[in-house]
Structure formats: structure tokens, C-alpha cells
Amino acid sequence: SARGVRPLTDRFREEWAKAQGAKPLPHMSLNRTVIIGKTDAEAKAIAARAHKNYQHSLGYLWHIFGATPAHFPTDFEEVLEKEMIICGSASKVRDEVAKQCETSGTNYLLARFAYGDMTDAEVEYSLDQFIEKVMPAFTAPAKQAAIA
């Protein structure tokens, strides 16, 4: 979860200040799968379906040998609870990205838009909406307007 990342970014900032002084911080990334739909419900349905396919593909060889894939929950609701996927309408995703970056202390988002069995149209819609409606909230002018 984003909360679990915070001690790492706080420690990195401390060590960076000791070693680099006032130099600007490098990117500290939050890594998330991002799925945007026309509604929150549509995005969650796409994400749940895609997760099932992703889990099957991820775990294929593990299951052949009687093991369970490590470090990634199989249950979709657990994945959401652990904040490993951000899904919803563009406004919900924008708010969730802002919340998770703030909570985690990160200053950069590495987003995956293709996941599981998402169709090309679903991936393109997510990416287009992210570019048009999410990213502008994180540009320098948008941040300054929010502060003013």
C-alpha cells in the first residue's frame, strides 16, 4: 500500500539530504496498474475481469508445479485493498493518484495501462482519459493554481 511505502521515501529523503544537500530529488516512483472507465463501476468490472486473466497467466507455471505465485494476491478485492490497482472514472483515478502519491511520499507515477485480457479499446480509453483528464492535474501550472 501507499502507506507502506512512506517509511522508505522518508528514509531516502533523509539520506539524500545528507549526501546531496539541496540538490533536487530524483524520481521516487509509485508503480500501479491504472484502469479508467466511463464510470467507476465499469472500470471496476474491467479490472476484475482483467485481473482474473492476469492471475491465470501469471500463475500458470506456478500451478503446474503445485505452488502459488508469490507477492501478488489472487483475490481482486485484496488487490484493491492493497492499492495495487487504481480503477475508476477519470476523476476518481485522478484523486486516487494524488492521494497515493501524497501518502507514499513519491513524486512520480509509473502507470501500466495494459493488463490481463483488456481489449485494445479498453487500454486506449484508459490511456486517453489519463492523458486528457488526469495528467493535467499534476503539471506545474495546475499545482500552482491549487496552492493559490
Side-chain angles (χ1 to χ4, degrees):
S1 73
R3 199 169 318 126
V5 173
R6 189 57 185 238
L8 302 173
T9 57
D10 286 348
R11 175 68 188 273
F12 184 85
R13 280 184 170 81
E14 289 172 24
E15 297 301 324
W16 180 266
K18 290 178 198 172
Q20 303 295 329
K23 286 185 182 176
L25 285 165
H27 292 305
M28 294 183 292
S29 180
L30 191 62
N31 183 346
R32 296 290 186 261
T33 296
V34 175
I35 300 170
I36 300 175
K38 292 179 181 82
T39 66
D40 293 345
E42 178 187 72
K44 187 174 181 180
I46 292 168
R49 184 202 75 226
H51 179 70
K52 184 176 181 180
N53 176 271
Y54 176 82
Q55 272 304 125
H56 176 75
S57 297
L58 174 71
Y60 180 73
L61 289 176
W62 290 79
H63 295 300
I64 286 175
F65 294 102
T68 302
H71 309 296
F72 202 85
T74 57
D75 179 68
F76 178 67
E77 292 300 324
E78 186 179 352
V79 169
L80 291 179
E81 184 181 309
K82 291 186 174 192
E83 301 176 323
M84 299 171 88
I85 294 176
I86 298 174
C87 62
S89 63
S91 61
K92 180 178 179 180
V93 167
R94 181 193 61 234
D95 294 347
E96 188 63 24
V97 167
K99 181 188 107 187
Q100 287 193 31
C101 285
E102 176 67 28
T103 300
S104 66
T106 56
N107 59 11
Y108 190 79
L109 176 70
L110 187 139
R112 283 180 308 282
F113 295 93
Y115 184 68
D117 66 352
M118 289 176 66
T119 66
D120 290 346
E122 290 167 340
V123 173
E124 288 173 17
Y125 184 82
S126 287
L127 185 55
D128 289 345
Q129 291 295 297
F130 193 84
I131 291 167
E132 292 173 21
K133 297 181 179 174
V134 177
M135 285 177 60
F138 299 96
T139 61
K143 285 184 185 177
Q144 290 304 318
I147 294 170

